[in-house]
Amino acid sequence: MNKLILVKYASEIFLKGLNRNKFEKKLRDNIKKKLKGINYELISDQGRYFIKADDIEEATERVRKVFGVAEVCIVTEVPRDMQAIKEEALKKVKDANPKNFKIETNRANKVFPKNSLETSKEVGAYVVYHMDGLEVKVKNPECLVNIEIRENAYIYTTKDKIKGAGGLPYGINGSTMLMLSGGIDSPVAGYLMARRGVELHCVYYHSHPYTSERAKDKVKDLAKILSTYTEKVKLHIVPFTEIQMAIINGCREDELTIIMRRFMMRVACGLAEKYGIQSVATGESIGQVASQTMEGLMVSNDCADRPVFRPLIAMDKTDIMDIARGIGTYETSILPYEDCCTIFVPKHPKTKPRVESIRESESVLNIDELVNKAIEETEVVIFQ
Ligand code: ATP
Ligand code: MG
């Protein structure tokens, strides 16, 4: 008897029609990358993967986190033989010791003489016969025993199932430049984009000496955490002080934030252009702070030359915090180091800026020169 990992992938992948092969290949490649260093064998079998591994727990933990994986189950492999299936099913129900149970069979291999329903009934009867007081319950059984009949038979119960990361295979849906600050929101935004298969690149605007090295290190730590879900992540660290000083010296106080955000957008798009990245993403959520109004978002979008994604736009802060805790970025995000926005905050920021008047206000600045210089002086750190 052998323990294996059964990998079920996102049902969305089955709906891809002609693209399905491409999705499956990407997912398989991503799983293989995650299993580096472990001794394993991966077998594709009609919309599922089976993985044999020396260290099955470690392998399960790694595969579970791969985007596109809906569920992983630790299954017991037995010969494709009714008696062997019955005995293993009984053993599993005995282990779980439930009040009620149900058997569900999926016969992918039609060579097996009994169909799915007949198999479930026969195995169920065998289990009931051998366990006093155990009942069959069709809806919401305490213990669901799954039997998959393929080359061999594979058996697992409710407690052998672990929820996967969901989403789509990383790298299948283009790329984005995430504006990554040290806050709670932007790492979550990056995670959600990556989970939909979008390749992640990060940019951080650093205002030395107004923001400390520790603030920068915090962003690096966040990029590193994100990279455990993706592949290597490049963090572009942009020297932002000169731009901020130019804004403070040249523009109205109540427009500082919005003009600064326009520069962030220009630099993100400029870097994206330079490295062939297709879009920009931020951790903004509508109404969360003064700059995240409908008007504020329109005015910063005015400087973008590619799609700007805001995956948190309609989420409540409490829900964003829950995700941050789940993905392990929260504890780092709440460390108290200031970011560049907090020291340049105007007392009464404009919440309903108009594009024309902001364009007018910033026209005193040497915009292209400032942006180009910041891009040139950007430093890149890679996390693996
Ligand atoms: P977060 O929790 O992600 O920092 P926030 O609620 O503090 O967000 P803002 O400070 O207004 O909101 O920033 C909105 C978004 O702008 C952030 O989610 C992030 O995408 C981007 N951003 C802000 N500051 C920086 C920075 N210093 N470097 C890179 N991106 C930034
Ligand atoms: Mg912030």
Side-chain angles (χ1 to χ4, degrees):
M1 240 177 336
N2 222 336
K3 292 235 186 235
L4 275 74
I5 306 168
L6 164 62
V7 183
K8 300 181 183 176
Y9 43 81
S11 51
E12 269 182 81
I13 295 180
F14 293 109
L15 306 174
K16 295 290 170 211
L18 291 175
N19 277 333
R20 180 171 155 182
N21 280 344
K22 198 176 92 189
F23 276 77
E24 286 182 330
K25 182 175 181 313
K26 191 79 182 166
L27 181 61
R28 204 167 47 237
D29 289 348
N30 290 353
I31 291 175
K32 285 181 178 168
K33 279 185 205 157
K34 272 276 153 70
L35 288 177
K36 249 189 205 143
I38 292 182
N39 219 349
Y40 74 94
E41 184 189 349
L42 189 148
I43 306 136
S44 300
D45 186 347
Q46 302 180 49
R48 308 241 149 141
Y49 299 128
F50 287 95
I51 298 170
K52 294 184 181 171
D54 289 352
D55 187 346
I56 195 155
E57 265 161 36
E58 173 66 19
T60 304
E61 195 44 36
R62 291 198 202 171
V63 172
R64 176 178 84 76
K65 282 184 165 178
V66 175
F67 296 134
V69 170
E71 191 175 80
V72 289
C73 310
I74 299 182
V75 303
T76 306
E77 183 181 45
V78 298
R80 201 178 60 217
D81 162 80
M82 194 49 121
Q83 191 55 33
I85 294 172
K86 283 177 180 170
E87 279 165 23
E88 184 56 33
L90 176 61
K91 188 165 162 277
K92 287 221 184 295
V93 180
K94 273 188 174 161
D95 282 351
N97 195 25
K99 288 191 192 60
N100 54 66
F101 82 119
K102 176 190 177 181
I103 308 261
E104 230 170 58
T105 306
N106 173 359
R107 186 183 59 147
N109 188 333
K110 307 294 179 207
V111 172
F112 194 69
K114 307 256 166 160
N115 71 24
S116 297
L117 206 63
E118 291 164 345
T119 307
S120 295
K121 275 190 179 162
E122 199 174 320
V123 176
Y126 182 85
V127 172
V128 167
Y129 180 82
H130 286 89
M131 283 185 75
D132 279 346
L134 181 67
E135 283 174 18
V136 174
K137 190 174 174 218
V138 179
K139 264 195 189 163
N140 295 324
E142 200 183 315
C143 175
L144 175 64
V145 182
N146 288 95
I147 301 172
E148 301 244 347
I149 300 173
R150 288 165 185 257
E151 187 52 36
N152 292 310
Y154 304 91
I155 303 169
Y156 57 99
T157 69
T158 316
K159 73 172 181 30
D160 303 315
K161 297 182 192 177
I162 304 159
K163 202 170 166 2
L168 294 171
Y170 184 71
I172 199 95
N173 278 330
S175 52
T176 202
M177 180 63 95
L178 169 73
M179 295 195 205
L180 181 65
S181 69
I184 294 169
D185 303 325
S186 45
V188 173
Y191 172 83
L192 293 178
M193 291 303 287
R195 204 172 76 133
R196 284 307 289 177
V198 180
E199 187 184 288
L200 206 60
H201 301 255
C202 301
V203 55
Y204 166 60
Y205 304 98
H206 186 55
S207 307
H208 175 82
Y210 301 98
T211 44
S212 63
E213 282 304 296
R214 292 212 292 180
K216 193 205 273 186
D217 288 342
K218 180 174 152 184
V219 176
K220 286 184 181 172
D221 288 343
L222 290 169
K224 196 168 167 75
I225 297 171
L226 287 175
S227 75
T228 64
Y229 294 96
T230 62
E231 289 166 18
K232 74 171 178 234
V233 164
K234 282 188 188 166
L235 173 64
H236 301 260
I237 301 174
V238 180
F240 207 55
T241 316
E242 202 175 320
I243 289 179
Q244 287 189 309
M245 286 308 166
I247 300 171
I248 286 175
N249 292 331
C251 305
R252 281 172 47 172
E253 203 234 354
D254 62 347
E255 294 177 346
L256 294 183
T257 308
I258 186 65
I259 294 176
M260 180 182 78
R261 300 206 58 81
R262 283 166 65 86
F263 273 90
M264 286 185 175
M265 190 62 81
R266 289 189 182 100
V267 173
C269 288
L271 286 168
E273 177 67 28
K274 183 170 171 183
Y275 295 105
I277 297 159
Q278 295 161 299
S279 63
V280 169
T282 80
E284 288 162 306
S285 165
I286 191 77
Q288 201 191 78
V289 293
S291 63
Q292 296 173 25
T293 58
M294 202 59 84
E295 292 80 2
L297 300 180
M298 274 171 65
V299 172
S300 52
N301 268 23
D302 178 55
C303 297
D305 63 356
R306 59 202 66 217
V308 179
F309 297 115
R310 299 179 172 93
L312 312 185
I313 197 69
M315 286 176 72
D316 291 350
K317 190 78 184 187
T318 49
D319 298 331
I320 299 169
M321 282 158 65
D322 284 345
I323 301 178
R325 286 191 193 94
I327 63 174
T329 53
Y330 184 79
E331 293 303 322
T332 304
S333 289
I334 59 172
L335 294 173
Y337 318 122
E338 75 297 343
D339 70 25
C340 71
C341 306
T342 45
I343 38 171
F344 293 95
V345 227
K347 277 184 220 75
H348 302 287
K350 263 206 177 143
T351 55
K352 290 179 188 276
R354 282 179 46 249
V355 172
E356 293 74 22
S357 67
I358 298 290
R359 280 188 192 156
E360 167 89 35
S361 306
E362 68 186 12
S363 65
V364 296
L365 304 175
N366 211 332
I367 296 175
D368 289 347
E369 202 182 298
L370 285 165
V371 170
N372 290 338
K373 184 153 183 266
I375 290 174
E376 258 164 44
E377 291 173 0
T378 292
E379 164 203 358
V380 183
V381 189
I382 299 175
F383 297 94
Q384 211 108 32

